[in-house]
Amino acid sequence: METASAAFRSTGSGPSVVCLHSSASSSGQWRALTERLAASRRVIAADLYGYGQSPAWSHDRPLTIADEIRLLAPVWQEAGDRFDLVGHSYGAAIALIFALAHPERIRSLTLYEPVLIAAIMQDDPTQPAGLEISRIRDTTSEAVERGDLAGAGALFVDYWMGAGSWAATPDKRRQLIATTMAKVRAEWHAIFTEPTSIAAFGRLAIPTRYLVGGASPSAPRRVAELLSAVLPAVRVVELPGIGHMGPVTHPDPVNAEIQASLEA
């Protein structure tokens, strides 16, 4: 069987920076960052399974983060022996797991709220953040199962961006997000069941800038508390008034932090 390969964009020149996007997005979310860095960095922005120009997840088994890492094989090769790694949300969770497996290849790690929900499940699934994100997983998945992709999109967007965000989203964008909800349903399994222990990240001695939105939901904030307590070389930066989708909604301050991380 032919191995699936990720599509990616490569722009600029200089040391390589690999960027991994959030759920229901694509490599296109990094355009503003690419423009900011292109004069001094080679930015490689990848499409994860089911987004942009990458193939859909079509296997009859649950998706894992390891599957996404294997899809990205041509991206890791393109980036060279050592590179900086940037990730947002689902992409940041993938970045963390890759960096832990291949620390010798990563110069620096910049994370915007990795949704490694497995950390909450390992710590205490009955805590408020765990109950809240489990409810969102269940309600969005149930909507997908009954064919209500727009309903799933509304629940998903309003959780991550705040109540009323779906209604305020342009119709064409709502339609596009709805088409990604089956893939998002597969991603829930990947982020809830990732087997890597919280303690394992204590081995990740890579300079890490961990960005947290001051207006983000409880689940990514709780993951940040758990991971930042064990990451040995982490700097946590909270961005007041910015939510979970900060790299998209507030690219200027977020990209300034990413650039500062790369130049540190």
Side-chain angles (χ1 to χ4, degrees):
M1 183 172 60
E2 185 177 345
T3 302
S5 296
F8 60 89
R9 309 164 185 255
S10 180
T11 308
S13 60
S16 294
V17 181
V18 172
C19 298
L20 304 180
H21 64 80
S22 66
S23 297
S25 188
S26 74
S27 58
Q29 82 165 64
W30 300 112
R31 285 193 184 96
L33 179 64
T34 297
E35 292 171 3
R36 186 183 192 111
L37 300 178
S40 61
R41 296 278 179 158
R42 182 176 177 225
V43 181
I44 304 169
D47 289 325
L48 302 172
Y49 264 118
Y51 301 117
Q53 300 302 310
S54 285
W57 174 254
S58 58
H59 298 280
D60 58 357
R61 60 173 177 79
L63 175 71
T64 67
I65 288 177
D67 291 316
E68 299 277 11
I69 289 173
R70 282 190 290 270
L71 177 79
L72 293 166
V75 176
W76 312 131
Q77 181 177 1
E78 185 76 11
D81 292 339
R82 278 178 60 79
F83 53 91
D84 298 285
L85 185 53
V86 175
H88 171 215
S89 189
Y90 182 56
I94 295 166
L96 262 173
I97 300 302
F98 179 84
L100 188 61
H102 304 280
E104 75 287 351
R105 298 193 63 187
I106 309 302
R107 281 190 298 261
S108 73
L109 192 57
T110 310
L111 309 169
Y112 194 102
E113 294 190 354
V115 288
L116 201 63
I117 305 303
I120 297 176
M121 298 298 106
Q122 292 171 27
D123 178 61
D124 178 8
T126 67
Q127 62 191 274
L131 295 174
E132 180 178 271
I133 195 63
S134 294
R135 184 180 71 253
I136 296 300
R137 174 199 60 188
D138 294 345
T139 55
T140 56
S141 297
E142 289 162 4
V144 170
E145 288 166 8
R146 64 174 180 266
D148 183 10
L149 298 182
L155 291 164
F156 187 79
V157 168
D158 280 3
Y159 175 73
W160 292 113
M161 298 186 69
S165 295
W166 179 256
T169 301
D171 185 61
K172 284 186 69 174
R173 178 63 183 153
R174 287 202 302 266
Q175 292 178 33
L176 181 60
I177 292 171
T179 66
T180 70
M181 284 299 105
K183 171 63 192 321
V184 167
R185 180 175 178 270
E187 292 168 5
W188 286 123
H189 177 272
I191 62 177
F192 267 79
T193 65
E194 168 56 42
T196 305
S197 70
I198 299 171
F201 293 104
R203 304 193 306 267
L204 193 58
I206 295 169
T208 301
R209 186 166 298 208
Y210 198 126
L211 307 179
V212 181
S216 290
S218 63
R221 294 181 64 83
R222 181 56 182 152
V223 173
E225 291 171 359
L226 293 167
L227 294 181
S228 62
V230 298
L231 287 165
V234 68
R235 177 183 177 187
V236 178
V237 178
E238 181 160 325
L239 300 172
I242 297 179
H244 181 69
M245 293 304 294
V248 176
T249 61
H250 295 77
D252 287 346
V254 172
N255 291 343
E257 286 293 339
I258 294 172
Q259 186 173 24
S261 177
L262 297 174
E263 294 175 352

